[in-house]
């Protein structure tokens, strides 16, 4: 066996077969949790339940092979379903299939452009806010199942939560959520309880998905209809997938390939569109179930997809008997496990600005029910706070010569549009001097506002009869000054007045 072959075999074993039993069990639990959600998201999008179920099966199976984050669960999601409503309502489901294919193509392009690496610019406060908001949304999504329900539903949910949290103290051989689902389903069928079941959510498909072409005209008008929807789906899907991948990275203390995940999501959506499915992305709730149930490798993701199809085609009659109370208990466990409780416990220890970013991200996301909007506003607010902090670390020290004719201003820090006001306030333009030296050895000039501020300093001193010299300008700052500065031009004063 060559070294390359041995390395590939080791990699294959590590990615797929190093955690077989727990991956298969976790996949089974995830598959059961996928069924009601896929049906519910199909209803949100205004399509037949099989569209969401087929999509969940195909996306899970494809991302198991080509995704960048082992253990990540991707399927039809609520965030994506909300973006499809008007396309389906106005143009029909065939346009949704075409939009799904285009969504995948855009995501593959994003992956090839290596946009996944840009995740490093998402601050931790935004990540925590995203996770907390998602936990709240998962919990809120369960409330319709409890509103107006009988005491039996509440009792079954409480029993389910008891099994989920107490069973691991006795044994961890079998995932406790799976035990809760089996026990409650058995009790419901044996006692003939009148409670809502998975079957009440919609009819399960009886045949596997088949290859098809979207029945839409291949015209520029079609592209104009589906492109805005596809572009939004591609961005929201990648944002949610990459943030979920980062969360799984933290939960498992292992890295992921974000660019490969972007390409994997794209390939999965392209294939889904050709099999009559809706666009999807990573699911944080199901991914957390998978991790908490012991799933770690690609086999758990593949198992989730395969078990899903098996359950709906072969065991459809039994699956339809699962009480919704059992799945609500599982999702409440997910909600509790997803929420970052330390962010509440340590709220007085972290900087107020980070707390403000976290809370803002949570509030915007929960109110809008749109994770992308919450994250974007959180990043924008974090950028504002960061700029303010950087602006406050501009230091200007001055030294007057022994004869009082020359003053040196030593500047340290980042000069940009936020810090120029503090920079300018450090200079005394009324002081009578023959010579002024501005030492920029420990400063960096970032933008046009900073260049304009330096022009003002130089020209104001010159207007009072002093010679001005700039020292220690680094190469990048000098390049910007050479292109934008006007203080050495003949009509500099007039140009400055016009700025």
């Amino acid at each position: 066996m060559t070294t390359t072959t041995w390395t590939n075999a080791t990699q294959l074993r590590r990615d797929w077969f190093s955690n077989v039993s727990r991956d298969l069990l976790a996949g089974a639990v995830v598959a059961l949790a996928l069924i009601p959600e896929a049906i519910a998201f199909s209803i949100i999008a205004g399509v037949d339940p099989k569209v969401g179920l087929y999509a969940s099966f195909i996306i899970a199976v494809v991302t198991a092979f080509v995704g960048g984050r082992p253990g990540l669960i991707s399927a039809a999601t609520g965030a994506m379903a909300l973006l499809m409503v008007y396309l389906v309502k106005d143009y029909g489901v065939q346009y949704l299939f075409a939009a799904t294919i285009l969504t995948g193509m855009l995501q593959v392009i994003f992956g090839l452009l290596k946009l996944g690496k840009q995740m490093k610019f998402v601050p931790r406060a935004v990540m925590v806010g995203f996770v907390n908001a998602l936990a709240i949304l998962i919990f809120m999504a369960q409330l319709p199942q409890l509103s107006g329900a009988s005491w039996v539903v509440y009792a079954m949910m409480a029993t389910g939560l008891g099994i989920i949290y107490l069973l691991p103290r006795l044994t961890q051989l079998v995932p406790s959520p799976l035990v809760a689902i089996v026990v409650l389903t058995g009790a419901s069928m044996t006692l003939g309880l009148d409670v809502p079941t998975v079957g009440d959510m919609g009819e399960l498909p009886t045949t596997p998905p088949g290859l098809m072409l979207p029945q839409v005209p291949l015209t520029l008008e079609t592209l104009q209809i589906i492109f805005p929807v596809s572009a939004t789906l591609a961005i929201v899907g990648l944002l949610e997938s990459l943030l979920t991948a980062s969360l799984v990275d933290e939960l498992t203390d292992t890295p992921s390939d974000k660019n490969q995940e972007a390409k994997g999501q794209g390939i999965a959506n392209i294939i889904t569109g050709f099999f009559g499915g809706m666009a999807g992305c990573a699911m944080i709730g199901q991914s957390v179930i998978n991790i908490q149930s012991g799933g770690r490798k690609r086999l758990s993701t593949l198992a989730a997809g395969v078990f899903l199809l098996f359950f709906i085609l072969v065991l459809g009659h039994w699956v339809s008997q699962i009480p919704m109370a059992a799945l609500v208990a599982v999702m409440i466990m997910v909600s509790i496990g997803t929420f970052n409780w330390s962010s509440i416990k340590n709220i007085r220890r972290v900087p107020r600005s980070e707390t403000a970013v976290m809370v803002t991200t949570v509030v915007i996301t929960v109110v809008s029910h749109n994770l992308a909007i919450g994250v974007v506003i959180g990043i924008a607010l974090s950028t504002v706070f960061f700029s303010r902090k950087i602006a406050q670390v501009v230091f200007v020290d001055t030294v007057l010569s022994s004869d009082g004719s020359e003053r040196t201003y030593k500047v340290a820090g980042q000069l940009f549009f936020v810090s120029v006001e503090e920079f300018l306030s450090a200079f005394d333009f009324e002081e009578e001097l023959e010579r002024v030296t501005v030492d920029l050895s420990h400063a960096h000039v970032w933008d046009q506002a900073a260049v304009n501020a330096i022009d003002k300093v130089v020209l104001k001193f010159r207007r009072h009869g002093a010679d001005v010299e700039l020292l220690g300008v680094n190469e990048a700052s000098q390049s910007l000054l050479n292109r934008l500065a006007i203080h050495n031009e003949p009509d500099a004063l007039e140009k400055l007045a016009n700025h």
Side-chain angles (χ1 to χ4, degrees):
M1 179 181 293
T2 65
T3 302
T4 302
T5 304
W6 184 84
T7 302
N8 291 338
T10 303
Q11 179 79 25
L12 181 67
R13 187 165 54 250
R14 188 176 62 206
D15 286 351
W16 283 92
F17 305 116
S18 59
N19 189 44
V20 174
S21 59
R22 297 186 69 84
D23 281 343
L24 292 176
L25 287 172
V29 176
V30 171
L32 289 172
L34 279 174
I35 293 172
E37 296 225 345
I39 295 173
F41 298 150
S42 300
I43 294 171
I44 291 174
V47 297
D48 193 271
K50 69 180 182 183
V51 175
L53 290 166
Y54 286 163
S56 296
F57 158 67
I58 294 169
I59 293 173
V61 169
V62 173
T63 54
F65 290 96
V66 299
R69 171 67 258 182
L72 189 75
I73 303 298
S74 300
T77 65
M80 300 286 269
L82 287 170
L83 302 172
M84 308 167 182
V85 175
Y86 293 107
L87 178 67
V88 176
K89 182 180 178 182
D90 295 340
Y91 298 99
V93 71
Q94 293 296 326
Y95 279 80
L96 172 62
F97 300 149
T100 297
I101 295 169
L102 182 57
T103 297
M105 291 178 176
L106 293 173
Q107 289 177 327
V108 170
I109 292 173
F110 292 159
L112 294 174
L113 294 175
K114 301 186 184 302
L115 294 185
K117 284 188 175 181
Q118 308 312 315
M119 283 300 298
K120 63 185 178 183
F121 293 109
V122 179
R124 177 169 174 74
V126 177
M127 279 283 293
V128 173
F130 166 81
V131 169
N132 288 348
L134 204 50
I136 294 171
L137 289 177
I138 291 172
F139 181 81
M140 291 172 62
Q142 311 314 310
L143 296 181
Q145 296 296 332
L146 302 175
S147 178
S150 68
W151 67 270
V152 178
V153 171
Y154 287 96
M156 294 187 76
M157 183 191 69
T159 303
L161 287 171
I163 294 173
I164 289 169
Y165 283 107
L166 296 178
L167 183 64
R169 298 185 180 185
L170 302 175
T171 178
Q172 296 187 357
L173 290 176
V174 183
S176 60
L178 180 59
V179 174
I181 292 171
V182 172
V183 169
L184 292 178
T185 303
S188 175
M189 296 177 67
T190 303
L191 300 175
L193 299 177
D194 183 19
V195 293
T197 63
V198 170
D200 296 330
M201 299 289 290
E203 186 179 354
L204 300 179
T206 56
T207 59
L211 183 63
M212 52 155 283
L213 287 175
Q215 299 301 306
V216 297
L218 297 177
T219 62
L220 181 60
E221 184 181 358
T222 300
L223 183 62
Q224 290 174 335
I225 292 170
I226 65 173
F227 183 81
V229 178
S230 297
T232 307
L233 286 170
I235 293 171
V236 170
L238 279 189
L239 190 59
E240 189 161 345
S241 297
L242 298 180
L243 286 173
T244 305
S246 296
L247 176 66
V248 176
D249 290 352
E250 287 192 16
L251 291 175
T252 60
D253 200 23
T254 55
S256 60
D257 185 338
K258 303 292 192 305
N259 292 322
Q260 182 58 41
E261 184 58 39
K263 288 183 280 188
Q265 292 286 333
I267 293 170
N269 278 323
I270 292 172
I271 296 174
T272 298
F274 283 114
F275 280 87
M278 57 197 277
C281 65
M283 304 180 77
I284 192 168
Q286 273 65 18
S287 297
V288 172
I289 291 177
N290 191 37
I291 299 302
Q292 291 185 344
S293 300
R296 293 290 186 276
K297 304 302 177 183
R298 294 183 183 276
L299 183 61
S300 64
T301 309
L302 176 65
V306 173
F307 275 125
L308 172 64
L309 190 65
F310 177 77
F311 287 151
I312 59 179
L313 295 184
V314 181
L315 303 179
H317 172 70
W318 299 97
V319 170
S320 64
Q321 302 300 316
I322 295 175
M324 287 303 298
L327 297 176
V328 168
V330 173
M331 295 311 294
I332 289 177
M333 174 212 68
V334 172
S335 173
I336 294 172
T338 302
F339 197 90
N340 188 324
W341 297 100
S342 63
S343 65
I344 303 299
K345 182 180 177 182
N346 299 325
I347 199 165
R348 293 184 177 180
R349 296 168 60 184
V350 301
R352 290 182 179 179
S353 58
E354 291 193 25
T355 299
V357 170
M358 187 272 286
V359 172
T360 301
T361 303
V362 170
V363 172
I364 297 295
T365 302
V366 171
V367 171
S368 67
H369 283 229
N370 190 317
L371 295 166
I373 293 177
V375 169
V376 168
I377 292 179
I379 292 174
L381 188 61
S382 185
T383 303
V384 171
F385 284 139
F386 179 74
S387 299
R388 287 182 58 187
K389 283 183 183 177
I390 292 295
Q392 291 170 357
V393 293
V394 172
F395 300 102
V396 181
D397 193 15
T398 69
V399 178
L400 185 64
S401 63
S402 56
D403 60 0
S405 63
E406 180 178 354
R407 183 175 288 278
T408 300
Y409 288 88
K410 296 183 178 180
V411 183
Q414 310 301 315
L415 297 179
F416 64 114
F417 67 97
V418 180
S419 62
V420 292
E421 185 175 341
E422 188 161 344
F423 168 71
L424 287 170
S425 66
F427 294 88
D428 180 5
F429 299 110
E430 301 301 325
E431 186 178 18
E432 294 186 0
L433 298 168
E434 295 181 5
R435 183 177 178 80
V436 173
T437 300
V438 181
D439 186 351
L440 296 167
S441 300
H442 300 288
H444 191 96
V445 180
W446 285 103
D447 59 13
Q448 190 174 356
V451 174
N452 185 253
I454 293 173
D455 280 336
K456 287 181 178 177
V457 169
V458 174
L459 292 173
K460 283 188 176 183
F461 278 121
R462 284 179 181 170
R463 193 160 53 191
H464 286 81
D467 291 330
V468 184
E469 181 182 15
L470 301 179
L471 285 181
V473 182
N474 62 43
E475 186 176 348
S477 299
Q478 188 61 60
S479 174
L480 195 61
L481 286 169
N482 291 341
R483 284 186 280 124
L484 300 175
I486 61 171
H487 56 260
N488 288 330
E489 297 182 6
D491 52 351
L493 285 174
E494 289 76 8
K495 287 184 176 179
L496 185 66
N498 293 330
H499 279 204

